[in-house]
Amino acid sequence: MAETFIGGNVGDAPSEPLEDEGRKLTTSLSTSCIAVLMAIVLGGLIMLMSGENPLTAYTAMVDGAFGSEFALGETLSRAAPLAIVGYGTAVALRAGLITIGAQGQVVAGAIGALVTAQLFESGPSAVAIPAAALGGALFGMAWVLIPALLRAHFNVNEILSTLLFTEFAALLIEYLLNNPLKPPTAITPQSDPYPANGVLGLVIDGTRFHAGVFVAVAIGLLFVWWVRSDRGFSYDLYGENPSLAQSLGISGNRVIINSLLISGATAGLVGWIQAAGLLQRVYVQIASDIGFFGLVVAFLGGATPGGVLVAALLFGALQSGGLAMQSSEGIPASLSDIIQALLLLGFSIRYAPQIIRLTRGVMANFTLIGKRRT
């Protein structure tokens, strides 16, 4: 698995010349830039065929993503949850695991954060905010615990189990917001407003840049520490060569369970910042597509700290810029979705060998229930 990461990783041999590392990074960045350029060119051609001016559209998109305090706040508020989910998912990817359950874990984290905040509603913010964050993280971990145990002890494929638990989460939040958590006066499924003492306030007035965005910075720094740590190295080694890792005394079950729990905790934190910072209540669609895009961000970012950050900012900018493009120029925001799809296609071509290798590895062990891991 280690060879799929952009720019190498902590599992690379320490004797490899630094010049080779620099050459690999330069090559990866160059081909990635080509993929982005191709997406921009093809997107422009589609705009021309749709009767739109590509220059006008791209100018409006860039301006809508970075051209003002509001635009920058919108981009960061969209990029932050993608980055957080991406960092957690990257831990699992580096350990050779593919979890697509972040969507459900975000939902579980939002529910956990809301319930915890309500329990501490009469307390000071200094207590209520950390408690709600912890509640969100724990609920996210709880939501992935069973898939983690099934994968570790019975070799049940984590793709299937985490996807199934995402569906469970969708059903759970729909029930809760239509019944016990729904205010009597509400018409649509939603919770009561988030307790005021637990709200993550705005950093810049008039924008959606809230304090929860800084959580992405903290998680990013922790991820940098992780990939440089001995524990991170051992998890990378397991992801690349499980037999070798186990022969060196690294517990496969521990790697699997801990990696998936870390990914669940980060997704749960996203549920917390969405509920406490961005929306200030819980809705059925609170997770939006954050969980699925988080996996894309982790993969396209090469499961590296810098790569995940750049990918999250890119998708955050495309999302905010696309909406601004529609409101200012009347150009459909769906064109932004097309550009995102073209980016995915470009990166898929760029990483075709790695994707094929990864797919073969997954399919080689693809069983509903396999032999018990020793």
Side-chain angles (χ1 to χ4, degrees):
M1 186 73 180
E3 67 272 15
T4 66
F5 302 141
I6 297 175
N9 61 45
V10 294
D12 291 331
S15 60
E16 185 172 1
L18 292 178
E19 305 84 60
D20 290 345
E21 286 298 304
R23 194 177 303 114
K24 289 179 182 178
L25 180 58
T26 301
T27 302
S28 294
L29 289 175
S30 299
T31 51
S32 297
C33 288
I34 291 173
V36 173
L37 182 61
M38 287 178 58
I40 292 174
V41 171
L42 290 175
L45 292 175
I46 292 174
M47 290 179 191
L48 282 174
M49 291 187 291
S50 302
E52 306 291 350
N53 186 327
L55 183 60
T56 300
Y58 282 133
T59 300
M61 185 179 292
V62 172
D63 186 63
F66 303 107
S68 65
E69 281 190 347
F70 177 82
L72 185 59
E74 188 70 16
T75 295
L76 292 177
S77 68
R78 289 176 178 273
L82 296 178
I84 296 172
V85 171
Y87 290 132
T89 304
V91 171
L93 280 175
R94 295 174 75 99
L97 302 166
I98 303 178
T99 169
I100 56 175
Q103 192 78 2
Q105 294 149 25
V106 171
V107 169
I111 295 171
L114 176 65
V115 172
T116 306
Q118 291 174 340
L119 292 175
F120 287 86
E121 191 169 7
S122 58
S125 295
V127 174
I129 291 176
L134 181 61
L138 290 177
F139 268 62
M141 293 171 68
W143 210 251
V144 78
L145 178 59
I146 291 178
L149 292 173
L150 291 174
R151 175 67 172 84
H153 295 288
F154 300 101
N155 203 27
V156 176
N157 189 278
E158 72 274 9
I159 297 177
L160 292 178
S161 58
T162 53
L163 180 61
L164 183 62
F165 270 74
T166 294
E167 295 300 316
F168 290 162
L171 294 173
L172 176 63
I173 194 171
E174 187 172 348
Y175 165 75
L176 291 176
L177 297 185
N178 276 293
N179 294 281
L181 295 181
K182 183 179 181 181
T185 57
I187 299 176
T188 59
Q190 60 182 281
S191 71
D192 284 312
Y194 200 87
N197 65 333
V199 168
L200 299 172
L202 294 176
V203 177
I204 302 176
D205 291 334
T207 72
R208 297 210 300 172
F209 185 177
H210 56 86
V213 172
F214 293 117
V215 176
V217 178
I219 299 298
L221 292 175
L222 286 173
F223 185 57
V224 170
W225 167 81
W226 173 265
V227 299
R228 295 173 180 269
S229 68
D230 292 341
R231 181 65 61 87
F233 171 79
S234 65
Y235 281 39
D236 288 351
L237 180 60
Y238 180 84
E240 183 176 357
N241 193 328
S243 299
L244 174 60
Q246 289 180 327
S247 70
L248 295 174
I250 298 173
S251 170
N253 286 354
R254 182 176 300 173
V255 170
I256 291 168
I257 293 173
N258 288 348
S259 297
L260 291 176
L261 287 180
I262 290 171
S263 69
T266 55
L269 284 173
V270 168
W272 162 60
I273 68 171
Q274 290 296 98
L278 188 65
L279 303 175
Q280 298 185 9
R281 70 171 71 224
V282 176
Y283 297 94
V284 172
Q285 298 297 328
I286 191 167
S288 185
D289 289 323
I290 292 171
F292 298 124
F293 271 107
L295 174 61
V296 172
V297 162
F299 189 79
L300 296 187
T304 61
V308 170
L309 177 61
V310 170
L313 288 172
L314 176 61
F315 279 96
L318 284 171
Q319 291 172 7
S320 61
L323 292 174
M325 179 180 67
Q326 178 173 300
S327 61
S328 64
E329 301 293 335
I331 300 173
S334 57
L335 287 174
S336 174
D337 296 333
I338 293 174
I339 296 171
Q340 293 180 54
L342 290 172
L343 277 173
L344 292 179
L345 178 61
F347 278 106
S348 296
I349 296 172
R350 159 68 180 87
Y351 294 109
Q354 293 93 328
I355 293 172
I356 293 171
R357 188 159 52 243
L358 180 61
T359 303
R360 285 175 177 170
V362 171
M363 295 307 296
N365 297 308
F366 191 89
T367 57
L368 291 177
I369 301 179
K371 295 179 180 180
R372 189 180 186 276
R373 185 178 297 275
T374 56

